[in-house]
Amino acid sequence: MKTLKFLSMFAFLGLFLVSCSDDDDDNPDPVNEEEVITTMTITLTPQGGGGTVVTLVTRDIDGDGPGAPVDDVSGSLAENTVYDGAIVLLNETETPPENVTEEVEDEDDEHQFFYVVGGGLNATTEYANFDGDGNPLGTEFTLTTTTASTGTLQFVLRHEPTKPNTGLGDAGGDTDIERTFDVTIE
Amino acid sequence: MRFFICYMLLLCSLANVVAQDCTSSLGGRVLDYHNSTALVKATILIVGTQKQVYSDEKGNFTFNRLCDGSYELEVSHPLCATRIIPITVAGNTSIEIRLEHHLEELEEVQVVGDAIPNKTNSAQEATLTSETLEKFSTASLGDALRELGGVSSLNTGANIVKPAIHGLTGSRVLILNDGVRMQDMEWGDEHAPNVDINAIESVSLVKGASALKYGGDAIGGVVLLEQGIFPVTKDTLFGKTLLNGVSNGRGGNISSSITKVFNKGWYLKGQGSYKRLGDQEAPDYILSNTGIQEFGASLAFGKRLFEWGFGAKYAYYDAEIAILRASHVGNVDDLIRAINSGQPQIIEPFTYDIANPRQQVRHHLGKLHAYKRFEGLGKWSVQYDFQSNRRFEFDVRRGDRDNQAALDLELTTHTIATDFRWDAKDDFTLDVGLLGRYQDNFANPDTDVRRLIPDYERYDFGSFVTGEYRINDQWTLDVGIRYDFSQIDAKKFYQTSRWLTQGYNVDFEDIIIGTVVDGEVVDGLIDYNAQQILTNPIFDFHNISTTAGIQFSQNNNSTFKFNYALSQRAPNSAELFSDGLHHSAARIELGDLRINSETSHKFALFQEKSFKNWGFILEPYAHFVSNFILLEPTDLEFTIRGAFPVWSYRQTDVRLLGFDSSAYINWTNTWSTEHQFALVKGNDLDNDIPVINIPAANLQNKLIFRKPEWNDLELSLRSNYVFRQNETPPNIMVFSAEQGEMVLLEINTPPDAYHLFDFYGTMQFGLGDTTTLTTSLGVNNILNTTYREYLNRQRFFADDLGRNILLQLKLNY
């Protein structure tokens, strides 16, 4: 009889636990991804004043979702011009959008931008900002154009690359951004 | 104590001699407890005297010329547990004595060697003893299980080892830890069973779904982790301590257990273990960030008598496991670079530190159980168990988020189960059972990463009937049927873009319960222009499993078995809901709400023969699974990070054909060899391509030298040849932004065949009456061979482990 009592206690305990864990009908909280980068804006300003500022924008509003990034290039670059380049990264899933560039610049030793000129574009790039160890960071750079041409400009942001490095080939690290723009110099 | 009683009895009877003539008699019958049949040739001894008689054909016995008074009878029978029965004789007294002959169920015998009882009548089974498990004290359960033919493992590095039976793993393999079905997020490829191998004393493996008692969805099989059984009638205290050191990882572990048994059936058992390894090493380099820290403890107590008993148990497991740093990649170009480079992109000096990426798991298990036997009927058991599994995964993240988990899941499970085993008839047993389970998964939003697996509640209900009929001494038949109902009730956020590309707006619009506006859920609103919507999928699954089989045993030297099992498995939460980017694979994994249960038909044969100096086991099988759920590349998606292949869960029909075989030969008294070969082939019948992650054929040969006279010396040398898996699904084309074109991603190219040699030696020393010291030395991968294993997910990034020297001291007391 003692056993039976004991057993019924188990059963009761089981039911009790089941019933009390089933008390929340509330909706879960949505997650706002703070870490995601949705937008990269590259502003190219001709040195010495004058000329037309060119912006390259890529926006991927659903992050890792199925929507592809949408690119927008405001216009053509001028021949034989030195541009000051500045890269701004935003997380536009938040309101107001969060500026991720600051986070990247705070951890300058763990990040580096790479620029790849491709497809016959007559241009070269130089780093314009560096981390505490004097290695390139690259949220600021200069772009120097020569003669008229068309081609591509690729921007790659690596997290925890090997520093110093000689370029994408031996930098390693994880890719946070990789985007290629079609660009014209005329 | 007994001596004292005897002494008193003696005094008593002496006194009586004077007082009266000793002319009383004691007669009676000895019967089987279960079915009341007479037990012949039982020995009945009056304790403290020379008087001893045997029961006759009808179980009857008589003592004559006894004095009136109190006696103790010791009743024994070759097939039964001995009982001591107090009795008072007054005049002509008669008594009915019932003995239990189901010794294996009484669990009073110490298991030795291969004497682990079978779990089914006709299914393919295999077991691991505590000696084998001890060899893997610093490794994991999955590593130990690979000793068995037909068992492989899906690894993520060396520390995360998921057992696979006949090529199937994850939710298709049930793991029962001391009678409790493990609920530990087994759906993820890099989620290993949360079990401390040092807390297990034996393992039984059922290759297939034939053990219906434990679950109907074990399409791969069932792994039963069991506790040792100990005598419950005498007062004892015993224990074991293991101390291990390993060279690869420069660490080791310590494990200790102690059991106290009191004479009235009470027992108390405690166990604990701690393991710590640093970075492990491939032959040519350090595998940076592959350390592990593991802690396990358990406490059990209860009362165990023949007729009734109960027990309570609590077990805790905590593991922090580093994941190879080089296996964390940002996009498909990083993955291509990793595959092409031939060695890890990140190699750093050895350290014990566990850095990101890493995972941390905490598992609590509580269990209460009780049983009662009913004379002439059977045994009724009831069990309640509770499990809480908390999993954190820490990723390489930007900003100060290194200590903010990227995945934080808490899975809570309550199960109540009962069964009745009717064993009153010698030739027939029937087992019926019921089970109810409630499970709650909570995905913590504090990660600030979209949930890979949503919040859900799951309800399960199961019932089964299995029967075993012994036709005659040689043939035994078994049949069983099981019904399982499960309901999964989830609350999942979908990105609207994902919802639309999956076509869910057509099929599932009715499950949307709200839309996220400004970070808050607005109930009842459906707005596809918003970024996220909240849905409430509720799915019901009704599954039937059956099994039937026959065993033919001619004598102890020849056994033949045939088994058929039909089983169905409801999709798990990953297969239905998973939705997100997987960093170690550079892929987006997508579940599908349309997935339904898979159905498996498995036909298995088992043939065992032993001759004078050799024996063999042959186990062929044919396994057909319709609506088999698999993950395969279906698409390519572009993000600001670059391109990612999309891997989607889909269903197809699959055929698995294979066999396991093993043999032993005793060449002389000291020299013997053991041989094992396993092969399985898997085909996706709808697409006529091989199934992914099917283990390659493998051949193991072992040469053993045993000399018991020399302190139980045993030396063995093992060769393990793993063939190249030539049957894999095709590689996929992906877009490489770096190269600006579509390139072949060699994600399915198998590594080459490899051949490893292991050495193991052990000796035992007696230290006093009850204490023995066992020392052993093992060397794995003696030749420091460089290799990669097809079923290791880190094969893209790094070589497998190099040479490892293991030293073990074991103290039994």
Side-chain angles (χ1 to χ4, degrees):
Chain A
M1 214 53 227
K2 229 175 168 177
T3 329
L4 209 65
K5 221 167 163 181
F6 195 73
L7 293 179
S8 46
M9 220 166 72
F10 278 166
F12 183 74
L13 187 71
L15 286 173
F16 174 72
L17 285 167
V18 168
S19 48
C20 67
S21 345
D22 192 21
D23 55 359
D24 55 333
D25 246 355
D26 298 341
N27 288 331
D29 293 332
V31 171
N32 215 342
E33 292 203 90
E34 286 179 9
E35 212 181 345
V36 74
I37 299 170
T38 60
T39 313
M40 173 170 66
T41 305
I42 297 139
T43 309
L44 298 167
T45 312
Q47 278 183 358
T52 315
V53 173
V54 176
T55 56
L56 314 173
V57 181
T58 183
R59 178 176 280 120
D60 185 6
I61 206 69
D62 70 346
D64 298 334
V70 178
D71 300 340
D72 179 45
V73 178
S74 69
S76 304
L77 297 168
E79 288 181 283
N80 301 313
T81 310
V82 181
Y83 287 91
D84 281 327
I87 301 175
V88 175
L89 307 173
L90 297 179
N91 174 6
E92 291 193 273
T93 64
E94 295 197 48
T95 23
E98 191 204 343
N99 188 338
V100 185
T101 326
E102 292 162 12
E103 227 172 58
V104 169
E105 288 174 349
D106 284 348
E107 292 187 319
D108 50 11
D109 57 328
E110 286 184 15
H111 288 94
Q112 186 177 348
F113 263 101
F114 296 88
Y115 326 104
V116 182
V117 178
L121 189 73
N122 293 323
T124 55
T125 57
E126 286 286 344
Y127 284 103
N129 62 349
F130 299 85
D131 64 20
D133 303 324
N135 294 313
L137 168 64
T139 51
E140 290 167 19
F141 62 99
T142 57
L143 177 84
T144 309
T145 61
T146 55
T147 52
S149 51
T150 59
T152 58
L153 251 183
Q154 186 186 39
F155 294 85
V156 178
L157 173 63
R158 288 273 171 86
H159 186 207
E160 299 195 354
T162 306
K163 277 187 166 187
N165 56 63
T166 63
L168 276 175
D170 65 351
D174 309 330
T175 306
D176 273 354
I177 292 179
E178 184 176 78
R179 204 61 201 153
T180 306
F181 298 92
D182 291 324
V183 177
T184 307
I185 299 173
E186 57 182 26
Chain B
M1 188 65 197
R2 192 180 291 172
F3 176 78
F4 177 73
I5 291 172
C6 295
Y7 184 69
M8 291 301 289
L9 283 173
L10 199 69
L11 278 182
C12 224
S13 45
L14 279 174
N16 285 341
V17 169
V18 185
Q20 58 187 167
D21 294 338
C22 291
T23 56
S24 297
S25 73
L26 172 64
R29 290 185 78 194
V30 185
L31 302 173
D32 175 54
Y33 181 88
H34 295 273
N35 53 16
S36 303
T37 54
L39 286 173
V40 185
K41 289 204 171 154
T43 313
I44 304 102
L45 169 78
I46 299 180
V47 177
T49 71
Q50 300 292 319
K51 289 180 195 276
Q52 177 174 312
V53 294
Y54 297 95
S55 59
D56 66 13
E57 297 295 308
K58 289 178 179 157
N60 292 319
F61 69 91
T62 320
F63 288 102
N64 290 316
R65 290 195 296 280
L66 289 178
C67 309
D68 286 353
S70 297
Y71 297 91
E72 268 193 318
L73 298 181
E74 184 181 298
V75 189
S76 56
H77 187 267
L79 299 175
C80 302
T82 301
R83 279 185 76 187
I84 305 282
I85 299 161
I87 184 162
T88 308
V89 175
N92 293 338
T93 310
S94 87
I95 181 178
E96 195 175 88
I97 298 165
R98 288 175 180 270
L99 288 189
E100 162 60 19
H101 76 259
H102 292 224
L103 268 184
E104 75 280 7
E105 277 177 52
L106 186 60
E107 296 178 351
E108 279 207 8
V109 261
Q110 189 75 42
V111 169
V112 269
D114 294 329
I116 299 165
N118 278 347
K119 303 299 164 200
T120 66
N121 171 51
S122 60
Q124 297 174 348
E125 292 190 29
T127 56
L128 286 179
T129 61
S130 61
E131 284 74 27
T132 314
L133 290 166
E134 281 162 7
K135 283 189 199 175
F136 292 89
S137 182
T138 49
S140 65
L141 172 69
D143 293 313
L145 285 169
R146 273 204 309 270
E147 291 285 289
L148 301 172
V151 183
S152 52
S153 64
L154 185 61
N155 289 26
T156 301
N159 294 325
I160 301 175
V161 186
K162 280 172 85 73
I165 304 172
H166 289 167
L168 302 177
T169 184
S171 293
R172 296 186 184 102
V173 173
L174 305 196
I175 296 178
L176 275 106
N177 186 356
D178 198 13
V180 177
R181 180 173 174 168
M182 295 295 290
Q183 303 286 340
D184 52 6
M185 303 160 190
E186 75 290 342
W187 56 73
D189 274 356
E190 59 281 280
H191 303 175
N194 296 320
V195 177
D196 174 12
I197 189 168
N198 294 295
I200 308 163
E201 286 163 17
S202 70
V203 177
S204 292
L205 178 84
V206 182
K207 301 174 189 173
S210 308
L212 290 184
K213 180 177 177 176
Y214 307 111
D217 51 351
I219 288 178
V222 184
V223 180
L224 293 136
L225 315 177
E226 306 193 303
Q227 293 301 305
I229 46 192
F230 44 81
V232 291
T233 44
K234 56 175 192 246
D235 211 350
T236 54
L237 175 71
F238 57 93
K240 178 173 90 173
T241 297
L242 280 172
L243 192 64
N244 292 282
V246 299
S247 67
N248 199 339
R250 305 181 201 177
N253 76 338
I254 180 162
S255 162
S256 221
S257 70
I258 192 150
T259 306
K260 169 75 189 160
V261 183
F262 303 90
N263 59 3
K264 288 200 167 136
W266 289 95
Y267 66 90
L268 179 67
K269 184 175 182 180
Q271 175 270 338
S273 67
Y274 176 77
K275 171 164 113 179
R276 187 81 173 89
L277 296 180
D279 286 342
Q280 293 171 298
E281 288 164 53
D284 300 326
Y285 42 78
I286 302 267
L287 298 166
S288 281
N289 205 40
T290 52
I292 181 170
Q293 172 164 275
E294 196 180 68
F295 172 73
S298 61
L299 191 68
F301 78 95
K303 188 173 172 75
R304 208 166 59 190
L305 295 175
F306 169 61
E307 283 174 4
W308 63 277
F310 67 88
K313 177 177 176 167
Y314 168 75
Y316 176 69
Y317 174 83
D318 183 317
E320 191 173 7
I321 306 173
I323 313 279
L324 183 72
R325 176 61 182 87
S327 70
H328 184 277
V329 291
N331 71 3
V332 75
D333 276 315
D334 295 351
L335 180 61
I336 293 170
R337 233 176 26 249
I339 292 174
N340 292 343
S341 82
Q343 72 166 37
Q345 303 267 301
I346 298 168
I347 299 173
E348 279 159 16
F350 173 87
T351 171
Y352 286 101
D353 295 343
I354 293 173
N356 293 359
R358 68 191 154 101
Q359 47 178 258
Q360 186 168 15
V361 198
R362 287 188 200 125
H363 192 95
H364 300 266
L365 184 157
K367 169 180 138 174
L368 298 170
H369 76 279
Y371 63 88
K372 164 100 181 113
R373 271 175 216 267
F374 297 91
E375 213 173 288
L377 211 57
K379 179 180 173 182
W380 175 61
S381 320
V382 61
Q383 176 174 316
Y384 161 76
D385 59 78
F386 164 82
Q387 288 179 72
S388 161
N389 194 61
R390 187 80 187 265
R391 164 174 290 272
F392 300 98
E393 290 184 11
F394 297 90
D395 226 326
V396 177
R397 298 180 75 172
R398 203 178 51 244
D400 41 5
R401 296 184 182 91
D402 272 355
N403 288 313
Q404 182 184 11
L407 182 92
D408 178 351
L409 295 177
E410 189 170 2
L411 187 69
T412 310
T413 312
H414 302 270
T415 307
I416 189 152
T418 181
D419 74 276
F420 187 83
R421 184 176 169 85
W422 186 71
D423 54 8
K425 289 258 186 298
D426 260 349
D427 52 359
F428 186 66
T429 54
L430 193 72
D431 219 343
V432 296
L434 289 173
L435 170 144
R437 178 176 290 136
Y438 167 77
Q439 185 170 70
D440 176 76
N441 184 58
F442 170 66
N444 193 341
D446 292 344
T447 55
D448 289 334
V449 175
R450 278 192 314 112
R451 298 169 174 92
L452 197 64
I453 299 290
D455 287 13
Y456 71 80
E457 291 176 320
R458 183 178 169 135
Y459 304 88
D460 290 292
F461 169 78
S463 59
F464 70 88
V465 184
T466 60
E468 227 173 270
Y469 176 59
R470 190 197 294 259
I471 302 168
N472 55 36
D473 281 351
Q474 296 176 333
W475 294 90
T476 311
L477 188 78
D478 67 276
V479 289
I481 185 158
R482 184 178 172 112
Y483 164 77
D484 285 283
F485 165 77
S486 60
Q487 184 186 71
I488 190 159
D489 178 348
K491 292 262 176 77
K492 176 163 170 62
F493 290 96
Y494 274 96
Q495 289 180 301
T496 41
S497 54
R498 179 70 66 205
W499 184 260
L500 295 171
T501 50
Q502 290 285 89
Y504 290 156
N505 54 325
V506 180
D507 298 341
F508 294 101
E509 193 153 278
D510 54 325
I511 65 169
I512 300 175
I513 55 171
T515 298
V516 180
V517 179
D518 294 332
E520 297 288 333
V521 177
V522 178
D523 280 329
L525 178 70
I526 302 180
D527 179 5
Y528 286 156
N529 293 316
Q531 281 173 30
Q532 288 190 72
I533 50 170
L534 177 62
T535 63
N536 181 205
I538 302 174
F539 298 122
D540 289 350
F541 302 96
H542 300 271
N543 290 328
I544 297 279
S545 319
T546 64
T547 178
I550 195 147
Q551 180 184 150
F552 174 75
S553 295
Q554 212 159 20
N555 44 46
N556 282 335
N557 303 326
S558 170
T559 305
F560 172 82
K561 299 175 187 180
F562 169 75
N563 182 270
Y564 162 74
L566 159 75
S567 60
Q568 290 189 302
R569 181 180 71 88
N572 63 35
S573 51
E575 290 158 344
L576 290 168
F577 305 123
S578 92
D579 170 14
L581 182 63
H582 220 291
H583 277 288
S584 66
R587 68 192 191 193
I588 291 165
E589 290 184 0
L590 291 184
D592 196 324
L593 296 178
R594 300 174 186 93
I595 281 178
N596 47 41
S597 293
E598 53 186 26
T599 305
S600 124
H601 302 269
K602 187 170 187 178
F603 302 86
L605 289 175
F606 175 96
Q607 168 93 67
E608 179 175 18
K609 273 190 189 295
S610 316
F611 304 94
K612 196 174 166 219
N613 290 318
W614 69 287
F616 71 87
I617 296 176
L618 194 62
E619 300 169 280
Y621 55 89
H623 196 177
F624 304 90
V625 190
S626 54
N627 293 322
F628 185 83
I629 303 167
L630 55 77
L631 186 62
E632 66 156 28
T634 49
D635 200 2
L636 195 63
E637 279 178 5
F638 293 90
T639 77
I640 199 163
R641 274 180 214 257
F644 291 96
V646 177
W647 289 59
S648 308
Y649 285 99
R650 69 171 179 95
Q651 296 190 280
T652 184
D653 291 346
V654 156
R655 180 188 66 208
L656 297 154
L657 298 176
F659 69 92
D660 307 333
S661 57
S662 64
Y664 69 88
I665 306 167
N666 295 327
W667 299 94
T668 70
N669 283 339
T670 47
W671 291 95
S672 62
T673 55
E674 289 176 8
H675 314 271
Q676 217 176 69
F677 180 72
L679 176 72
V680 53
K681 288 188 175 288
N683 280 87
D684 174 344
L685 299 176
D686 289 355
N687 299 285
D688 196 24
I689 53 169
V691 178
I692 196 166
N693 287 345
I694 294 295
N698 100 344
L699 176 67
Q700 289 181 19
N701 292 294
K702 195 158 140 184
L703 176 66
I704 305 156
F705 175 80
R706 274 196 198 93
K707 194 88 179 168
E709 304 90 299
W710 300 349
N711 287 91
D712 283 312
L713 175 72
E714 182 181 326
L715 302 171
S716 64
L717 184 68
R718 183 167 80 161
S719 121
N720 184 12
Y721 187 83
V722 178
F723 291 78
R724 184 171 187 269
Q725 177 53 280
N726 289 319
E727 296 180 8
T728 62
N731 285 315
I732 56 173
M733 296 297 289
V734 294
F735 181 80
S736 161
E738 249 173 63
Q739 297 169 51
E741 58 182 1
M742 296 294 282
V743 295
L744 189 69
L745 179 64
E746 294 203 62
I747 197 94
N748 284 323
T749 301
D752 290 335
Y754 61 88
H755 193 179
L756 303 181
F757 290 93
D758 301 337
F759 166 81
Y760 182 76
T762 176
M763 279 179 106
Q764 256 185 46
F765 304 92
L767 306 173
D769 286 350
T770 54
T771 310
T772 49
L773 172 73
T774 312
T775 54
S776 51
L777 173 76
V779 186
N780 294 341
N781 194 2
I782 297 172
L783 303 177
N784 214 12
T785 305
T786 298
Y787 71 102
R788 295 190 185 203
E789 161 58 45
Y790 174 60
L791 291 181
N792 190 336
R793 288 159 48 88
Q794 288 179 356
R795 72 171 197 272
F796 306 121
F797 309 103
D799 293 335
D800 225 302
L801 295 190
R803 185 185 299 125
N804 189 11
I805 301 169
L806 305 93
L807 193 66
Q808 183 179 77
L809 296 178
K810 180 176 81 164
L811 207 55
N812 284 85
Y813 40 87

